[in-house]
């Protein structure tokens, strides 16, 4: 039985976000009932299509569900839908995105009868605000969210990837909201009602660059394909055979990279120590190292990089993923059956070891019910029928304690989300080895000026947490960590695979102290992978996921679409996995280990192409800024310097309105252009016509006119633009927080809301060791004398050690 086998979920409306959210429940045993009109969910027609004309995207989003047809024109259609909802535990509602001919129903009235019902409503932009009601697509959302403009050639146009991103991000956020509500309900709570919007959900990828823009100003520009501010080299380079993803961040990695390539003349140059400095000289540096990478294959460089602890990885084709036996063994790639076609798709990436997800399944035919092993006891009443017995004002994870051993972006985003949902998160650093997002510069000037307390990225990823320092390399530090774990519910680490184990803090040890403990390792490839020791950043994860092979123009190199795409995605998937395990522990008393491989978390973005290739064996077509389904679709230059807008015509009516708006009435009345494939034959001509119109207008003016004509459009924003975005301001998405050292600064809210306002941020990110006394004295009962001794021995502290100080400590310990 799955963790959620007691739940019945009803999914209404049509959207990738709500479908993916519901599929995550199905992965863990829930009985998911998808309501469709007689002609089916519109997503059944989404490209790319298999040889028999079925949508590979729909298949990925919907296997292991049942399909229920309700004809809105039939008598009592609304009554039938209402009865379905009254008989479920969770309602996932995508009607604000696409109603898909769903009959009307009064959800508020149902909740009056069923106070335990958990409701989740998705939308493109929320019900309120200047953008509410805008026509949108995946790509127009990403443009507005600052995820397009920084990618691609300097001269433009900005490059954006296929339309399989925002639905996955928003679906994860929706699942986090609903799964945390199930947990709260299991502890005696009532039902909760959440909303999320796809625009705000997508900002999980932008928030780091937004914070950097706040701290540094308007410094980010598009600097070329596979090049990204603020560091270098970060990109995809050609090897003798294949392509190699390279991310060199720290001074030590740069020295190792130079040693690997025999670049002694660059290794110790003082103006190349930091990635930001190297970016200033990137052309010069690349002229030297790019030819040397062509001397060996990508696989050979990968092996060399692992030995030297450099984050480099081969960039696979889709065919390479399907030939990777390890991915099938781990369940990253699973069988899927739809109709007469058998293929492969991406499985659940929430790799729970005790309560694993289903491995593949069947896509429901229209109106097909699938048998589900379900423990729901309708005669006794499900959890949904319970009245609230605790303070409904409490956050869903109130009373849950998390020990956070993570650093950087992915792990801290996971634990920040748990903290935002009410958990007590205790972040553990060391004065010798603080979170590297405080800065990798360990020179005395940086440390003495306490610059490590002034990094904006660290502050946004670690709000609502308490922070202590413990030197885990010393017995006293490890003993205190174990005592904290003994009273915790969750442990999260994103170190390399064996770090905690070698310190005596692995799961096998910690579970003997606390059998209810849920512990998650967030390594790059997974604890049992043959590549388990590979170093990686979020960029490495994107490079190795298969996604770059489907991004970009035909015949050109694979293209990265973000500086650290994999970090935010890994963090959200980690949070989702923890909530599944927490639900199991709540009812069974059993903790478990979660082996999250962050590279697998990126694979859903390539899922349709994986499925298609598994059936027809044809390499995926790359569309650049065009689209496999919508014609026209692209990024068009507007008046002004580097000003762009993404425009899409998603159906025949939208095409005709677009043609009329740009002054091409002949196109709008041409019967031969009603079909998108007919328009594709003259796509170059159509695009020139659109750009002739957009070039005469400011981007915001063009977006306004297009949206007034009900044409999907979104200005390509920079991250700094989002800090003053009128829609985000109207919805109070950015909250001002005061913190020592940096003062008042904006923080992004969670995109999931219980009510009109976002969850309030309770506390700024901790300074180094800020809560040492509070936690070690109050929770562990240490005396003042014991605390003083720990400080004198360097076990705890509140000031980071410089490189020179750390070297002295190491010398004295020897």
């Amino acid at each position: 039985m799955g963790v959620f086998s007691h739940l019945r979920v009803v999914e209404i409306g049509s959207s990738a976000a709500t479908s993916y959210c519901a599929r995550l429940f199905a992965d863990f045993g829930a009985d998911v009932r998808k309501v469709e009109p007689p002609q089916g969910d519109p997503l059944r027609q989404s490209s790319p299509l298999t040889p028999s004309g079925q949508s590979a995207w729909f298949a990925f989003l919907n296997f292991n569900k049942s399909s229920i047809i309700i004809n809105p024109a039939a008598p009592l259609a609304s009554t039938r839908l209402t009865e379905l909802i009254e008989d479920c535990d969770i309602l996932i509602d995508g009607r604000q995105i696409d109603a898909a001919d769903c009959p009307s129903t009064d959800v508020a009235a149902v909740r009056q009868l069923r106070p335990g019902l958990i409701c989740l409503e998705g939308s493109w932009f929320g019900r309120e605000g200047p953008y509410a009601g805008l026509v949108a697509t995946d790509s127009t959302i990403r443009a507005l969210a600052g995820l397009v403009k920084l990618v691609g050639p300097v001269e433009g146009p900005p490059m954006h990837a296929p339309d399989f991103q925002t639905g996955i991000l928003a679906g994860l956020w929706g699942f986090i909201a609903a799964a945390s509500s199930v947990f709260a309900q299991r502890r005696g709570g009532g039902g909760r009602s959440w909303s999320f919007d796809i625009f705000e959900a997508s900002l999980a990828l932008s928030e780091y660059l937004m914070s950097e823009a706040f701290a540094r100003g308007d410094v980010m520009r598009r600097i070329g394909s596979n090049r990204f501010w603020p560091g270098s080299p970060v990109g995809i380079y050609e090897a003798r055979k294949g392509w190699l993803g390279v991310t060199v961040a720290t001074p030590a990695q740069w020295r190792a990279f130079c040693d690997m390539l025999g670049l002694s003349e660059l290794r110790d140059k003082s103006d190349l120590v930091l990635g930001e400095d190297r970016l200033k000289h990137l052309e010069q540096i690349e002229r030297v190292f790019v030819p040397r990478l062509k001397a060996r294959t990508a696989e050979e460089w990968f092996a060399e990089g692992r030995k030297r602890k450099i984050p480099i990885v081969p960039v696979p084709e889709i065919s390479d993923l399907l030939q990777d036996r390890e991915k099938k063994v781990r369940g990253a790639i699973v069988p899927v059956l739809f109709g007469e076609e058998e293929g492969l798709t991406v499985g659940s990436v929430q790799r729970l070891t005790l309560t694993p997800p289903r491995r593949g399944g069947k896509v429901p035919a229209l109106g097909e019910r699938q048998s589900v092993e379900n423990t729901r006891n309708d005669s006794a009443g499900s959890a949904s029928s319970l009245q609230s017995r605790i303070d409904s004002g409490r956050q869903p994870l109130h009373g849950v304690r998390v020990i956070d051993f993570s650093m950087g972006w992915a792990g801290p985003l996971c634990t920040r989300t748990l903290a935002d949902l009410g958990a007590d998160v205790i972040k553990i650093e060391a004065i010798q080895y603080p979170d590297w997002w405080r800065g990798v510069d360990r020179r005395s000037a940086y440390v003495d000026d306490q610059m490590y307390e002034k990094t904006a990225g660290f502050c946004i990823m670690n709000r609502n947490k308490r922070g202590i320092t413990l030197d885990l390399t010393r017995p006293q530090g490890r003993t205190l960590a174990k005592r904290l774990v003994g009273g915790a519910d969750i442990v999260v680490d994103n170190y390399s695979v064996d770090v905690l184990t070698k310190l005596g803090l692995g799961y096998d040890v910690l579970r003997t102290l606390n059998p209810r403990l849920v512990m998650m390792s967030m390594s790059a490839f997974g604890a049992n992978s043959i590549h388990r020791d590979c170093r990686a950043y979020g960029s490495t994860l994107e490079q190795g996921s298969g996604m770059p092979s489907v991004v970009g123009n035909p015949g050109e190199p694979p293209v990265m679409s973000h500086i650290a795409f994999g970090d935010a995605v890994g963090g959200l998937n980690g949070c989702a996995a923890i909530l599944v395990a927490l639900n199991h522990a709540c009812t069974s008393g059993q903790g478990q280990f979660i082996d999250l491989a962050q590279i697998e978390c990126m694979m859903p973005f390539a899922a349709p192409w994986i499925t298609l290739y598994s059936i027809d064996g044809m390499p995926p077509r790359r569309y650049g800024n065009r689209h496999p389904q919508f014609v026209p679709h692209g990024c068009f230059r507007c008046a002004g310097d580097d000003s762009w807008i993404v425009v899409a015509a998603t159906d025949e009516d939208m095409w005709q309105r677009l043609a009329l708006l740009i002054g091409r009435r002949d196109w709008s009345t041409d019967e031969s252009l009603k079909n998108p494939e007919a328009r594709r034959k003259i796509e170059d001509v159509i695009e020139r016509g659109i750009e002739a119109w957009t070039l005469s207008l400011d981007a915001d003016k063009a977006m306004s006119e297009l949206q007034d004509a009900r044409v999907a459009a979104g200005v390509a924003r920079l991250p700094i633009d989002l800090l003053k975005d009128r829609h985000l301001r109207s919805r109070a998405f950015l909250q001002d927080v005061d913190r020592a050292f940096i003062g008042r600064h904006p923080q992004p809210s969670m995109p999931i809301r219980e009510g009109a306002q976002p969850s309030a941020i309770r506390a700024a990110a901790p300074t180094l060791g800020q809560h040492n006394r509070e936690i070690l004295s109050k929770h562990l009962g240490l005396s003042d004398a014991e605390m003083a001794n720990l400080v004198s021995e360097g076990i705890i502290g509140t000031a980071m050690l410089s490189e020179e100080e750390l070297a002295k400590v190491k010398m004295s310990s020897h």
Side-chain angles (χ1 to χ4, degrees):
M1 289 295 179
V3 175
F4 294 132
S5 62
H6 68 294
L7 294 177
R8 184 170 294 159
V9 178
V10 168
E11 174 194 339
I12 60 177
S14 172
S15 82
T18 48
S19 283
Y20 189 55
C21 174
R23 200 210 94 175
L24 293 172
F25 277 103
D27 284 343
F28 289 95
D31 174 9
V32 177
R33 302 179 175 190
K34 182 180 184 68
V35 175
E36 302 187 73
Q39 66 273 26
D41 182 339
L43 288 175
R44 287 185 180 269
Q45 307 305 316
S46 293
S47 295
L49 302 177
T50 68
S52 70
Q54 298 189 89
S55 169
W57 181 225
F58 181 86
F60 166 74
L61 294 171
N62 290 287
F63 63 83
N64 286 326
K65 300 179 185 177
S66 293
S67 168
I68 296 175
I69 299 173
I70 299 184
N71 186 342
L76 304 178
S78 293
T79 301
R80 187 179 175 210
L81 177 61
T82 301
E83 288 172 348
L84 267 178
I85 296 170
E86 287 176 344
D87 192 37
C88 78
D89 305 286
I90 302 174
L91 172 65
I92 299 176
D93 186 351
R95 292 176 297 167
Q96 287 291 312
I97 300 164
D98 184 343
D101 291 333
C102 186
S104 62
T105 184
D106 189 342
V107 175
V110 175
R111 292 198 77 231
Q112 288 291 320
L113 294 172
R114 300 292 302 282
L117 180 66
I118 295 167
C119 295
L120 181 71
E121 180 186 78
S123 64
W124 285 115
F125 296 102
R127 286 182 174 267
E128 307 292 336
Y131 297 169
L134 293 189
V135 185
T137 70
D138 188 294
S139 293
T140 63
I141 289 284
R142 281 185 281 129
L144 287 167
L147 298 172
V148 167
K149 194 168 185 177
L150 291 174
V151 180
V154 174
E155 67 278 7
M159 180 68 65
H160 52 101
D163 269 8
F164 307 117
Q165 294 188 23
T166 64
I168 293 168
L169 290 166
L172 280 165
W173 277 114
F175 180 79
I176 286 166
S180 67
S181 300
V182 174
F183 172 74
Q185 194 175 71
R186 279 176 146 150
R187 296 191 300 166
R192 291 174 179 263
S193 184
W194 297 85
S195 65
F196 70 86
D197 78 66
I198 295 173
F199 175 51
E200 290 178 0
S202 302
L203 297 179
L205 292 177
S206 307
E207 60 182 19
Y208 161 63
L209 292 180
M210 289 167 64
S211 71
E212 289 296 304
F214 173 78
R216 304 188 191 211
D218 190 8
V219 297
M220 294 173 219
R221 289 294 180 271
R222 193 173 55 262
I223 56 176
S225 293
N226 294 315
R227 291 179 175 178
F228 299 92
W229 184 92
S232 78
V234 178
I236 294 175
Y237 298 95
E238 189 173 6
R240 191 178 74 208
K241 179 183 177 184
W243 297 89
L244 189 70
V246 174
T247 303
V248 176
T250 68
Q253 289 164 359
W254 171 244
R255 291 191 291 268
F257 184 69
C258 289
D259 288 342
M260 182 177 79
L261 295 175
L263 301 175
S264 56
E265 71 275 21
L266 298 179
R267 183 188 191 279
D268 297 312
K269 290 191 70 173
S270 60
D271 60 345
L272 299 179
V273 172
L274 299 177
E276 201 164 338
D277 298 328
R278 295 191 291 273
L279 189 59
K280 298 171 187 173
H281 305 283
L282 185 56
E283 297 280 354
Q284 169 198 343
I285 293 170
E286 284 189 340
R287 279 198 297 271
V288 178
F289 80 74
V290 166
R292 301 203 179 194
L293 287 175
K294 294 179 182 177
R296 303 177 75 173
T297 69
E299 287 291 344
E300 288 170 340
W301 286 127
F302 183 41
E304 275 295 319
R306 286 168 61 193
K307 292 178 196 172
R308 300 169 186 268
K309 300 180 179 179
I310 307 169
I312 57 179
V313 67
V315 177
E317 300 286 342
I318 296 298
S319 57
D320 298 325
L321 296 177
L322 287 165
Q323 291 163 15
D324 187 335
R325 182 176 176 275
E326 180 176 283
K327 288 186 168 47
K328 293 177 182 176
V329 170
R330 284 181 56 85
I333 291 179
V334 296
V336 63
L337 176 68
F338 40 129
E340 298 300 313
E341 289 179 311
E342 294 184 34
L344 298 168
T345 192
V346 179
S348 171
V349 301
Q350 286 81 39
R351 196 75 62 239
L352 279 68
T353 53
L354 183 65
T355 56
R358 292 172 172 172
R359 290 206 168 205
K362 183 182 180 184
V363 182
L366 188 58
E368 179 185 13
R369 296 288 288 270
Q370 298 205 47
S371 60
V372 178
E373 285 189 78
N374 202 276
T375 58
R376 194 172 190 269
N377 186 344
D378 291 307
S379 61
S382 72
S384 303
S385 64
L386 295 171
Q387 295 286 340
S388 177
R389 296 197 299 273
I390 63 171
D391 178 7
S392 60
R394 284 184 177 177
Q395 292 173 291
L397 300 188
H398 177 81
V400 172
R401 179 162 295 165
V402 181
I403 306 301
D404 181 5
F405 290 111
S406 70
M407 296 186 179
W409 188 348
L413 174 60
C414 167
T415 53
R416 185 194 82 183
T417 305
L418 297 172
D420 287 350
L421 289 166
D424 173 22
V425 176
I426 299 175
K427 181 178 180 69
I428 297 182
E429 302 176 79
I431 58 172
Q432 298 85 355
Y433 308 102
D435 187 329
W436 69 271
W437 256 35
R438 291 181 180 273
V440 297
D441 191 343
R442 300 297 291 266
R443 292 173 292 188
S444 295
Y446 186 90
V447 173
D448 292 345
D449 288 345
Q450 293 184 283
M451 297 301 293
Y452 56 87
E453 294 292 8
K454 302 173 186 177
T455 51
F458 175 87
C459 292
I460 64 166
M461 288 303 155
N462 292 286
R463 64 164 182 245
N464 286 339
K465 302 177 185 178
R466 298 189 288 168
I468 67 170
T469 50
L470 288 175
D471 184 356
L472 299 177
T473 67
R474 314 265 289 281
Q476 303 100 306
R478 293 194 294 272
T479 298
L480 292 170
K482 287 178 181 177
R483 290 176 62 186
L484 285 171
V485 168
D489 302 282
I490 298 163
V491 166
V492 175
D493 98 86
N494 68 342
Y495 302 154
S496 297
V497 167
D498 289 326
V499 170
L500 283 186
T501 300
K502 288 177 179 176
L503 291 171
L505 297 171
Y507 179 64
D508 286 348
V509 172
L510 298 185
R511 69 176 177 181
T512 63
L513 306 174
N514 183 352
R516 295 176 59 92
L517 185 69
V518 171
M519 183 171 181
M520 180 169 69
S521 166
M522 300 176 66
S523 62
F525 286 84
N528 61 358
S529 169
I530 58 172
H531 305 310
R532 64 198 304 273
D533 57 346
C534 176
R535 298 297 173 97
Y537 293 107
S539 48
T540 320
L541 305 173
E542 180 182 1
Q543 291 159 352
S545 69
M547 185 179 162
S549 72
V550 299
V551 181
N553 293 312
E556 294 183 4
V559 176
M560 289 173 61
S561 59
H562 199 277
I563 179 61
F565 201 144
D567 279 314
V569 174
L572 295 178
N573 275 284
C575 183
I578 280 174
L579 290 170
V580 177
L582 199 59
N583 270 282
H584 177 258
C586 183
T587 54
S588 69
Q590 291 179 297
Q592 63 179 298
F593 181 69
I594 303 170
D595 175 24
L596 190 88
Q598 290 192 61
I599 199 161
E600 294 172 3
C601 297
M602 284 297 299
M603 289 174 59
F605 299 100
W609 313 111
I610 289 171
T611 299
L612 198 61
Y613 190 96
S614 74
I615 295 172
D616 68 12
M618 297 293 290
R621 178 177 172 184
R622 297 209 280 166
Y623 286 85
N625 283 342
R626 291 176 174 176
H627 195 279
Q629 184 174 357
F630 307 141
V631 183
H633 182 282
C635 192
F636 301 94
R637 192 185 295 271
C638 297
D641 180 39
D642 199 34
S643 181
W644 303 86
I645 188 169
V646 171
V647 181
T650 63
D651 58 35
E652 179 190 334
D653 290 342
M654 195 178 292
W655 154 248
Q656 290 180 336
R657 293 194 298 270
L658 172 61
L660 285 171
L661 178 66
I662 66 173
R664 293 302 303 256
R665 179 174 292 276
D666 55 326
W667 286 350
S668 73
T669 57
D670 189 336
E671 291 290 319
S672 69
L673 295 180
K674 284 187 174 182
N675 186 292
E677 289 311 308
R679 297 196 293 273
R680 198 178 297 281
K681 293 175 183 176
I682 60 164
E683 201 160 8
D684 289 338
V685 176
I686 291 172
E687 287 173 351
R688 286 197 294 272
I690 294 171
E691 190 145 288
W693 181 82
T694 59
L695 271 169
S696 67
L697 296 169
D698 164 82
D700 281 282
K701 176 65 173 171
M703 175 175 154
S704 177
E705 292 198 19
L706 285 159
Q707 288 287 350
D708 284 347
R710 306 299 294 157
V711 175
V715 176
R717 306 278 192 212
L718 287 170
I720 198 168
D721 299 330
L722 300 171
L723 296 172
K724 53 184 183 290
D725 184 274
R726 59 196 178 101
H727 182 76
L728 296 178
R729 283 185 175 276
S730 76
R731 288 174 54 79
F733 178 78
L734 293 170
Q735 302 182 44
D736 285 333
V737 175
D738 274 315
R739 182 182 180 273
F741 296 98
I742 66 170
R744 201 164 181 81
H745 63 284
Q747 289 259 356
S749 302
M750 281 197 302
I752 49 178
R753 303 185 180 210
E754 287 189 280
Q757 295 299 310
S759 297
I761 294 171
R762 305 185 305 277
T767 55
L768 190 63
Q770 178 180 341
H771 300 99
N772 283 346
R773 178 166 296 280
E774 177 183 318
I775 291 170
L776 298 179
S777 301
K778 181 178 176 182
H779 296 308
L780 299 187
L782 270 61
S783 66
D784 288 348
E786 288 172 313
M787 293 281 292
N789 188 53
L790 291 171
V791 171
S792 67
E793 293 192 16
I795 306 298
I796 66 173
T798 55
M800 175 177 166
L801 297 188
S802 69
E803 208 163 38
E804 295 85 349
E805 291 169 325
L806 189 57
K808 289 177 184 177
V809 169
K810 288 180 178 178
M811 286 290 293
S812 64
S813 66
H814 291 309

